[in-house]
Amino acid sequence: MFDSFIQYEFLQNAAITGILIGLVAPLLGVFIVVRRLSLIADALSHITLTGIAASLLLEKRVSAINDWNPVYMGMVFSVVGAVMIERLRKVYKHYEELAIPIILSGGIGLGVILISLADGFNTDLFSYLFGSVTAVSRSNMWTVLIITSIVMLIVLLFYKELFILSFDEEHASISGVSGRWVHLLFILMVALVIASSMQVVGILLVSALMTLPVASALRLSTSFKQTIGLSVLFGETSVLIGLFSAYHLSVPPGGTIVMTAILILILTMIYKKVSTQFSIKGEAV
């Protein structure tokens, strides 16, 4: 693959984009998991699918927009979905978790209708669902690079606020942290990362890349920062091995990336169990 990487631009695009996604998706995933909002990635990914379907439908009906990149429409829908989730959280103050399944259901329903109107599944839509090594263009790569840079900058600037909100929203409010705006900013970042990740991982599998590396990291880490570091490490490992496997097996990379992340999770669970047993035996001796 390394010779092909030098020779083919699409492999360079896929690899660089994958590395960026492997960094930023697990990074945000740590905050998502800690705040018990894991399903938000699924909700926004389905809203993104609706945006992609809407874009493909418009391409069929309006010839003037054939050059549009469906990714950008997906981003718009994802951001709108994120804002709607935040609005619904305020409507259902005592049942905030209801906002996620409402948007998730709406996204699936509208997506099915738009996909049907766009004459069902085609090769383009299939690649968005499960990822494609060849579908990542140079413009997609630059888009992911810009989004990654923005997300990294925001996380660095608002790390303290994000950390406090993740563990204790009441304390954050007392400390003067504007939880409303920080949370909105955070959910918008998640929306953009999900929409930009679909070319490599796929819309239906991108949420796994935001949660599985974190699940593995939580089995080994002893601090929040260590969880972030291990999550990124496992995320990058999953992406690189997944892309390499997808290229040689000629299968969508989303599946190989997720299965690699599952394998890492299983290995960390086995390691944790074995190390715990040895510790117990050592103490007994």
Side-chain angles (χ1 to χ4, degrees), residues 18-196:
I19 290 171
L20 293 171
I21 293 168
L23 167 65
V24 74
L27 174 63
L28 293 182
V30 174
F31 295 99
I32 289 175
V33 172
V34 170
R35 299 185 70 174
R36 293 176 173 81
L37 293 173
S38 299
L39 282 178
I40 200 170
D42 282 314
L44 293 178
S45 65
H46 283 82
I47 287 292
T48 303
L49 172 61
T50 304
I52 294 295
S55 180
L56 295 177
L57 177 60
L58 284 174
E59 286 182 8
K60 288 182 177 292
R61 303 295 171 86
V62 184
S63 59
I65 62 171
N66 284 339
D67 294 331
W68 280 16
N69 190 334
V71 173
Y72 300 133
M73 182 72 79
M75 287 184 180
V76 171
F77 271 66
S78 187
V79 168
V80 171
V83 174
M84 291 175 65
I85 287 176
E86 186 61 19
R87 291 296 241 174
L88 286 171
R89 276 166 55 90
K90 295 174 187 175
V91 173
Y92 296 98
K93 292 183 179 179
H94 301 291
Y95 307 96
E96 293 183 349
E97 68 279 2
L98 270 176
I100 297 176
I102 288 173
I103 297 300
L104 175 63
S105 303
I108 294 175
L110 183 57
V112 168
I113 293 172
L114 293 176
I115 290 171
S116 178
L117 293 175
D119 299 328
F121 289 92
N122 53 37
T123 304
D124 291 335
L125 190 55
F126 187 85
S127 68
Y128 288 119
L129 288 173
F130 305 106
S132 172
V133 174
T134 60
V136 185
S137 64
R138 184 68 66 169
S139 63
N140 294 141
M141 186 198 75
W142 284 112
T143 300
V144 173
L145 177 59
I146 292 171
I147 291 174
T148 299
S149 302
I150 293 172
V151 169
M152 292 297 293
L153 179 62
I154 291 174
V155 170
L156 288 173
L157 291 176
F158 295 95
Y159 176 80
K160 180 181 177 182
E161 289 81 359
L162 289 169
F163 177 80
I164 295 174
L165 281 171
S166 297
F167 288 95
D168 194 341
E169 291 191 18
E170 291 184 4
H171 175 68
S173 179
I174 296 172
S175 302
V177 176
S178 180
R180 174 184 174 186
W181 293 108
V182 173
H183 180 75
L184 178 60
L185 185 62
F186 172 73
I187 201 172
L188 288 176
M189 287 193 298
V190 173
L192 289 174
V193 168
I194 287 174
S196 62

